[in-house]
Amino acid sequence: MHAAPGLQIGGDWTLAHYTALQAQVQALRGSLPDAAAVELGGLGALDTAGAALLVELLGSQRLAELAAREPGLPEERRALLQVVCQAMAGVAGGQPARRPSTLLELLGTIGAALEGLWRQSGALLGFIGLTLATLFATLCRPRRWRVTSLVVHLEHSGLNALPIVALLTFLVGAVVAFLGATVLAGYGATLYTVNLVAFSFLREFGVLLTAILMAGRTASAFTAQIGSMLANEEIDAIRALGLSPLELLVLPRVLALLIALPILTFVAMLSGILGGAVVCALSLDITPSMYLAILQENIAVRHFLVGMAKAPLFAFLIAVIGCLEGFKVTGSTQSVGERTTSSVVQSIFVVIVLDAVVALFLMEMGW
């Protein structure tokens, strides 16, 4: 390159000579006047790295004008310079973008989270509507019932979960009885430990612990199963055969959990009360016959009905969320893991929030 009185650019401007050319460009940038004549006729080999250096030296607008009117410039180099100038317009020599403040970033993150929650809620409501529509369409057509699939899912989600549900609620019932006795002993009211255990398990702990276990155990299984089928293109094959994935995959799982969760809730209530009875018999000298007599006398049947009424609602939501997240899998094993985690988190969150809302409503209604 020669720099007086104008500038004549020649030679190869390629990545192989990038370091040497960059040093010359940096040396000329401050001393090259805007009105200096520039010739591009001697330009040899050229690639995008060299064109980017020319943009850095002359500016995208000036280089584009020079390339357009340079008569000795080959057409392919002229086109490359034009493309690079357009791509780097407003970038070369521009001011770096200002980083937003921490407050704006925080507000943006909150807004994005709320927008995602809104979209997710809409997708869940839409999937609930599709599931209910498919359910009502098949109820009057017994030939389309998937009895075998229903029984299989009932075994997996209900019968196989029975031991863990019974053991967990038995231990929690024992812990609640022990803590209740410890606190009530200071008031001389250890006898009311029976009321505490029965009331808590019939209304809340029985159905809530069972629903949380099913959210972690069954919803994740539903998501992984449907997600794996989607990744293996099995669901596409089902659609190609003219079958409905909702009818074939979703309904048996939803109906199985609708049957299994109330039964497991009943077992959880019995196990929790039994755990409290063991602690009362061993630590408080409350015999099993006295324990049962207090239950029959002081605990109304409506507490049992309140707990059982929550079970089908929780079961439906857990099954629908698990199936919906399975259909959101994009095809990779990483996506299957992410959606499985998302289904568990969403199911537990929805169950706890809904249980809290129902509890507040029932408390206000005096039920």
Side-chain angles (χ1 to χ4, degrees):
M1 294 185 299
H2 306 284
L7 180 65
Q8 183 177 0
I9 298 176
D12 295 337
W13 286 68
T14 59
L15 185 60
H17 307 91
Y18 187 85
T19 303
L21 291 171
Q22 187 180 34
Q24 296 184 55
V25 168
Q26 294 295 335
L28 285 174
R29 281 188 63 184
S31 59
L32 183 65
D34 294 338
V38 180
E39 297 181 6
L40 301 176
L43 191 61
L46 179 68
D47 60 9
T48 54
L53 285 175
L54 290 174
V55 172
E56 183 180 348
L57 175 63
L58 302 174
S60 58
Q61 182 177 358
R62 186 178 182 187
L63 181 60
E65 294 174 354
L66 291 171
R69 67 170 183 258
E70 179 63 48
L73 190 65
E75 192 61 33
E76 65 274 8
R77 296 190 181 94
R78 191 192 316 274
L80 177 60
L81 289 174
Q82 294 286 354
V83 171
V84 173
C85 289
Q86 293 176 6
M88 298 184 64
V91 177
Q95 296 294 329
R98 293 183 58 187
R99 181 182 176 184
S101 64
T102 304
L103 178 60
L104 289 179
E105 288 185 346
L106 177 61
L107 293 176
T109 303
I110 295 174
L114 291 176
E115 183 181 3
L117 180 62
W118 178 259
R119 289 198 304 267
Q120 203 164 17
S121 301
L124 178 59
L125 291 175
F127 192 75
I128 289 174
L130 288 174
T131 303
L132 292 176
T134 307
L135 176 62
F136 294 146
T138 57
L139 280 179
C140 300
R141 300 176 182 178
R143 292 183 179 180
R144 296 173 62 177
W145 294 356
R146 307 286 175 175
V147 179
T148 304
S149 179
L150 174 63
V151 173
V152 170
H153 291 298
L154 188 58
E155 178 186 1
H156 290 167
S157 59
L159 185 61
N160 294 345
L162 192 60
I164 184 64
V165 171
L167 177 61
L168 178 66
T169 51
F170 177 85
L171 295 176
V172 173
V175 171
V176 170
F178 179 76
L179 293 178
T182 303
V183 174
L184 294 173
Y187 301 94
T190 54
L191 196 64
Y192 288 99
T193 304
V194 180
N195 300 63
L196 174 64
V197 173
F199 186 83
S200 60
F201 269 88
L202 290 177
R203 291 185 69 98
E204 297 295 336
F205 284 169
V207 63
L208 188 60
L209 290 175
T210 306
I212 291 175
L213 280 174
M214 289 297 100
R217 184 183 181 278
T218 306
S220 60
F222 289 172
T223 303
Q225 291 165 2
I226 295 177
S228 299
M229 294 179 68
L230 190 63
N232 294 331
E233 300 182 355
E234 295 177 38
I235 294 181
D236 294 335
I238 290 174
R239 292 194 177 100
L241 292 173
L243 301 175
S244 170
L246 285 174
E247 183 179 335
L248 194 66
L249 302 176
V250 176
L251 285 188
R253 289 172 167 83
V254 172
L255 294 176
L257 203 58
L258 281 172
I259 298 172
L261 191 57
I263 297 174
L264 292 174
T265 299
F266 180 72
V267 173
M269 292 176 180
L270 294 181
S271 299
I273 293 174
L274 180 61
V278 170
V279 171
C280 290
L282 296 178
S283 301
L284 305 179
D285 295 330
I286 300 177
T287 62
S289 58
M290 185 185 301
Y291 191 91
L292 291 175
I294 295 173
L295 287 179
Q296 293 176 356
E297 182 178 352
N298 296 336
I299 306 300
V301 181
R302 61 185 175 87
H303 302 309
F304 169 76
L305 297 178
V306 165
M308 291 300 297
K310 299 177 186 177
L313 180 60
F314 291 167
F316 181 78
L317 291 175
I318 291 171
V320 167
I321 290 174
C323 295
L324 174 60
E325 291 301 309
F327 282 108
K328 289 182 180 179
V329 172
T330 56
S332 63
T333 55
Q334 180 181 359
S335 178
V336 174
E338 291 173 353
R339 289 303 172 185
T340 301
T341 304
S342 177
S343 70
V344 174
V345 173
Q346 287 185 51
S347 301
I348 295 176
F349 176 79
V350 168
V351 164
I352 294 177
V353 170
L354 189 61
D355 183 75
V357 171
V358 172
L360 292 175
F361 174 77
L362 296 178
M363 182 181 66
E364 291 297 326
M365 297 298 294
W367 295 347

